[in-house]
Amino acid sequence: MYDKYFENYEIGERWKSRGRTITETDIVMFSSLTGDFYPLHTDIEYAKNSFFKQRIAHGMLVLSFAVGLTKMDPDIVVANYGIDKLRFIHPVFINDTIHVELEVIDLMDKDNGTGVVTVKQTVLKQTGEPCIIGISKALINKEKQ
């Protein structure tokens, strides 16, 4: 998605990523990396008795994978500009496959050789069920004249 200069984006433009399956190893590694060993993610017996009836992936793990699934050209993307109205609305379980869908909803010219591309970001499971929604912003270079 973020592979063209600011002036080449149009409001309403859409993009869909490839998929990625969430594994038990992903959850274990994320827990180890972050220190987040909350039992809903790491304890099978605890999770069996939870609202979800099984372990779920960390929301921030899924969001991190969503960032990794989004195409970004380092010569074009200056920086992540923020995420607004972020919501984790449905769980992602081990062996679910996620993908990302983006829709451009705003373009803000910064008059400094960059602009902000604002997108509605949705992370969906293989069932089509949305898991994470939010408004994501990226600071994008303009084409050098």
Side-chain angles (χ1 to χ4, degrees), residues 21-109:
T21 301
I22 307 299
T23 67
E24 182 173 18
T25 301
D26 294 329
I27 292 171
V28 170
M29 290 177 62
F30 189 81
S31 293
S32 296
L33 180 66
T34 64
D36 181 351
F37 290 97
Y38 189 74
L40 187 56
H41 309 301
T42 60
D43 183 330
I44 291 171
E45 295 305 316
Y46 177 90
K48 279 182 192 175
N49 297 310
S50 74
F51 177 82
F52 301 105
K53 306 295 183 210
Q54 61 181 302
R55 289 175 293 162
I56 65 172
H58 304 72
M60 295 306 290
L61 167 68
V62 177
L63 182 62
S64 296
F65 283 150
V67 171
L69 288 170
T70 303
K71 184 190 292 186
M72 292 187 215
D73 183 323
D75 294 326
I76 291 175
V77 177
V78 177
N80 179 342
Y81 208 71
I83 301 174
D84 299 329
K85 300 180 182 177
L86 181 66
R87 298 290 179 269
F88 301 95
I89 56 175
H90 288 104
V92 174
F93 301 110
I94 294 169
N95 295 322
D96 276 343
T97 299
I98 62 164
H99 74 275
V100 181
E101 294 183 8
L102 304 176
E103 178 184 357
V104 178
I105 59 172
D106 190 50
L107 299 168
M108 182 175 64
D109 191 328

